[in-house]
Amino acid sequence: MSAIANRYEFVYLFDVTNGNPNGDPDAGNMPRLDPETNQGLVTDVCLKRKIRNYVTLEKDGGEGYAIYMQERAILNNQHELAWKALEIPADAKDGYKKLPKDAAKAKELTDWMCQNFFDVRTFGAVMSTGVNCGQVRGPIQMAFATSIDPVVPMEISITRMAVTTEKEAEDQSGANRTMGRKHIIPYGLYRAHGYISAKLAERTGFSDADLELLWRSLINMFEHDHAAARGEMSARKLIVFKHENVMGNAPSHVLFDAVKVQRVKGEANTPARSFADYQVTVDVAAVPAGVNVTDLI
Amino acid sequence: MTFGVRLLVWGERACFTRPEMKVERVSYDVITPSAARGILEAIHWKPAIRWEIDRIKVLKPIRFETIRRNEVGSKLSSVSIAKASKAGRTDTLLTFVDEDRQQRAATILRDVAYVIEAHFEMTNKAEAADSIGKHLDIFTRRARKGQCFHAPCLGVREFAANFQLVEAEAELPEADPVHLGKSIDLGWMLHDIDFANDMTPHFFRAQMTDGLIAVPKFMPREVRT
């Protein structure tokens, strides 16, 4: 697989309706908020997790598309069986204990990881291979996604018509009801920025086919990530900037500035409740020469 | 003879992690010379040159916020990669994020902007074709056009850095009024890591006057104790 030959940037818009796109462990799993602006946040790692999960679904561990960072829910038991079935041959000279000091050997390991694991090839990985080659920096870099407007999380109290323990049942003299809480955002449109370096792709072998898979995962990942907590999430826009030059033809901030997301006229002071309340425009005239803009959604 | 370059960098968030608080990361108040060098290297670098940071101008007020994330607790071991590679299969090599999970808070900077003033020096890897003018031209051309080898970041990769060349004849952007007329001792800060000598970290006493921090020369050989 030959690596991609162009630098890319992308603007990714997704929305949530009555759900929690990314809980904040510091705030009792409330949706993440920027404390200064009340805009909603979704971390880069949250989006990367969903990309990994999508690739796991689509490729199902196919050759070259293994995923190193697995989520337990996706695990099939074969993995565990494999651990047991494959009695890993112990090296007679105990050679594995030593880290590969020699750079060529370390590189061999890194290359093998890149060839076999989509997430290592794409996002990089820290591998404690000792000298020099311990780290792979992946070509894809994503920033935090921020909502266009401030979001107002709501706390929804819910009841469950059952209890967990007998003691609880006794305490309630058989009424058997418990209360729970859900945090939701009625509506939020989020915008994420991504960067793809062709030069780093050269080093990990991130290919055009991988890029296509990345776009597919961004387009489809929410379709396979439904859960009670998420509400309705969907990918709304994926605007890709492709530079002719491998190093790029324009500053990324100029390209990002060309994508404007505004409220539809006349509704500026009302809360947004659907994607129809927004208008996304790409100012093609502001995009410098040598950069090609495509709308993938 | 060396020439200086001046680069304006800015971004919404930044985390220049203090080495003494790196489990639950706490950022320094300002960008470190080491991170500034990384940004320049993201735009242009060759083994023939070494970037030296001269001054850092802090344009925005220093503000923090915290963010807590789920992270994994361990690194991939080369031993298990070697085993899997030898066995020729990938299904034995994986980590379950929810079994190896750590929640970590990071105290990060908000809304930052700096001007990095730097120059480069030729290293002993320089060959006849490596003239100062050539590397300076490549850097300024790329910075002016927004080209980069990989997208530079403000301390960690999730916080991307925007950058713009400050042309030689242009005035430096003004620092925020909060910095003016004040001299603040930022304490001991990481200067850079001496990769030639077993990754030894070097520190310097950062003093910010009117938003300007003068960075001493990085002299690996002379500061030995």
Side-chain angles (χ1 to χ4, degrees):
Chain A
M1 282 187 289
S2 63
I4 55 169
N6 302 83
R7 184 181 123 185
Y8 295 85
E9 265 98 38
F10 59 90
V11 175
Y12 181 55
L13 294 171
F14 59 93
D15 66 354
V16 58
T17 309
N18 294 332
N20 183 356
N22 186 200
D24 186 348
D26 248 357
N29 211 34
M30 286 243 298
R32 289 185 190 277
L33 283 184
D34 179 329
E36 288 183 343
T37 62
N38 269 355
Q39 282 164 304
L41 289 180
V42 173
T43 58
D44 60 315
V45 283
C46 172
L47 297 172
K48 287 181 188 171
R49 172 81 264 151
K50 294 185 203 309
I51 293 172
R52 286 186 168 106
N53 288 354
Y54 178 82
V55 172
T56 310
L57 283 180
E58 190 190 302
K59 295 291 179 181
D60 198 19
E63 205 184 328
Y65 292 96
I67 295 290
Y68 175 68
M69 292 287 173
Q70 294 268 10
E71 200 167 17
R72 194 61 171 170
I74 307 258
L75 166 73
N76 54 42
N77 299 334
Q78 283 167 349
H79 290 315
E80 268 177 12
L81 293 176
W83 267 113
K84 288 172 196 151
L86 183 85
E87 287 171 27
I88 293 159
D91 195 288
K93 279 169 258 160
D94 213 4
Y96 291 142
K97 278 204 172 155
K98 284 191 192 118
L99 296 173
K101 280 250 165 51
D102 126 47
K105 183 79 189 146
K107 188 168 182 310
E108 217 171 273
L109 291 179
T110 313
D111 287 349
W112 187 82
M113 286 303 287
C114 286
Q115 277 161 26
N116 285 284
F117 289 88
F118 178 79
D119 54 343
V120 175
R121 194 158 72 228
T122 306
F123 305 126
V126 177
M127 296 185 269
S128 52
T129 41
V131 194
N132 284 329
C133 276
Q135 237 168 353
V136 195
R137 207 160 29 164
I140 314 287
Q141 183 177 340
M142 287 179 86
F144 280 13
T146 316
S147 69
I148 306 298
D149 287 313
V151 291
V152 184
M154 293 200 306
E155 193 179 311
I156 308 279
S157 289
I158 49 174
T159 55
R160 181 172 66 158
M161 295 303 170
V163 290
T164 318
T165 60
E166 287 209 6
K167 185 170 182 314
E168 274 182 271
E170 280 162 25
D171 288 349
Q172 295 193 15
S173 34
N176 289 9
R177 297 213 302 185
T178 42
M179 303 283 289
R181 270 178 304 175
K182 275 179 100 150
H183 295 283
I184 63 162
I185 288 174
Y187 183 78
L189 179 64
Y190 288 75
R191 174 175 178 154
H193 290 171
Y195 306 79
I196 305 177
S197 158
K199 282 291 178 184
L200 291 182
E202 266 174 28
R203 297 178 175 187
T204 67
F206 181 84
S207 67
D208 281 311
D210 291 330
L211 185 70
E212 290 303 319
L213 178 58
L214 179 82
W215 299 145
R216 274 205 303 285
S217 61
L218 286 169
I219 293 165
N220 296 311
M221 65 192 191
F222 292 116
E223 310 297 343
H224 303 279
D225 188 54
H226 291 296
R230 299 262 175 275
E232 292 168 53
M233 295 187 71
S234 9
R236 291 294 184 172
K237 278 269 173 211
L238 176 58
I239 297 156
V240 175
F241 298 99
K242 179 179 181 178
H243 299 253
E244 273 171 19
N245 189 298
V246 68
M247 307 296 283
N249 294 63
S252 46
H253 62 95
V254 171
L255 303 178
F256 292 140
D257 287 349
V259 179
K260 290 204 171 55
V261 184
Q262 285 157 317
R263 288 299 301 277
V264 172
K265 263 186 195 147
E267 296 180 0
N269 294 319
T270 59
R273 284 294 180 264
S274 81
F275 187 60
D277 294 338
Y278 287 99
Q279 191 176 24
V280 181
T281 48
V282 185
D283 185 359
V284 180
V287 174
V291 181
N292 179 28
V293 195
T294 35
D295 248 354
L296 292 184
I297 308 182
Chain B
M1 182 167 71
T2 53
F3 295 89
V5 299
R6 299 182 302 171
L7 191 73
L8 172 65
V9 298
W10 72 98
E12 269 184 49
R13 296 179 181 81
C15 182
F16 309 107
T17 310
R18 290 175 182 267
E20 70 273 27
M21 291 182 272
K22 65 181 183 184
V23 174
E24 297 228 79
R25 299 182 197 91
V26 176
S27 175
Y28 277 117
D29 291 1
V30 297
I31 189 171
T32 59
S34 166
R37 175 181 58 80
I39 290 176
L40 299 175
E41 286 178 357
I43 298 170
H44 175 62
W45 177 79
K46 285 274 181 216
I49 63 171
R50 189 183 72 239
W51 284 104
E52 286 262 358
I53 309 298
D54 302 320
R55 294 202 299 179
I56 289 165
K57 188 166 183 184
V58 182
L59 304 180
K60 297 274 183 78
I62 295 163
R63 293 183 303 166
F64 289 92
E65 85 178 20
T66 67
I67 184 138
R68 183 177 289 269
R69 283 173 287 184
N70 293 324
E71 301 183 9
V72 290
S74 56
K75 292 187 277 191
L76 241 94
S77 95
S78 61
V79 179
S80 51
I81 300 172
K83 277 180 187 165
S85 171
K86 204 166 187 182
R89 54 195 300 177
T90 54
D91 53 354
T92 55
L93 194 62
L94 71 176
T95 185
F96 297 117
V97 282
D98 41 7
E99 284 179 2
D100 188 18
R101 177 168 279 179
Q102 297 182 344
Q103 287 196 339
R104 294 186 185 182
T107 304
I108 60 170
L109 292 168
R110 268 314 298 273
D111 191 22
V112 300
Y114 306 103
V115 177
I116 300 165
E117 295 183 59
H119 67 276
F120 58 83
E121 283 173 7
M122 307 306 276
T123 64
N124 54 16
K125 294 221 174 81
E127 288 163 13
D130 289 306
S131 70
I132 285 174
K134 169 181 137 183
H135 289 291
L136 187 71
D137 279 354
I138 297 175
F139 180 85
T140 47
R141 191 174 64 232
R142 285 190 183 170
R144 199 175 282 144
K145 283 162 93 175
Q147 294 187 316
C148 53
F149 186 89
H150 60 87
C153 66
L154 295 161
V156 288
R157 286 190 82 197
E158 57 268 39
F159 305 143
N162 298 312
F163 63 91
Q164 193 182 333
L165 185 72
V166 181
E167 300 285 349
E169 60 280 1
E171 292 275 313
L172 278 193
E174 281 299 313
D176 189 275
V178 295
H179 295 311
L180 299 180
K182 271 190 229 159
S183 185
I184 301 165
D185 185 358
L186 296 171
W188 288 96
M189 268 179 72
L190 177 73
H191 187 175
D192 211 328
I193 291 167
D194 184 359
F195 293 94
N197 287 301
D198 204 20
M199 310 271 279
T200 317
H202 289 219
F203 294 85
F204 76 110
R205 190 79 191 231
Q207 192 82 30
M208 182 168 80
T209 307
D210 294 327
L212 210 57
I213 301 164
V215 181
K217 204 169 157 48
F218 190 67
M219 291 177 293
R221 300 236 166 260
E222 291 168 46
V223 283
R224 273 197 198 148
T225 50

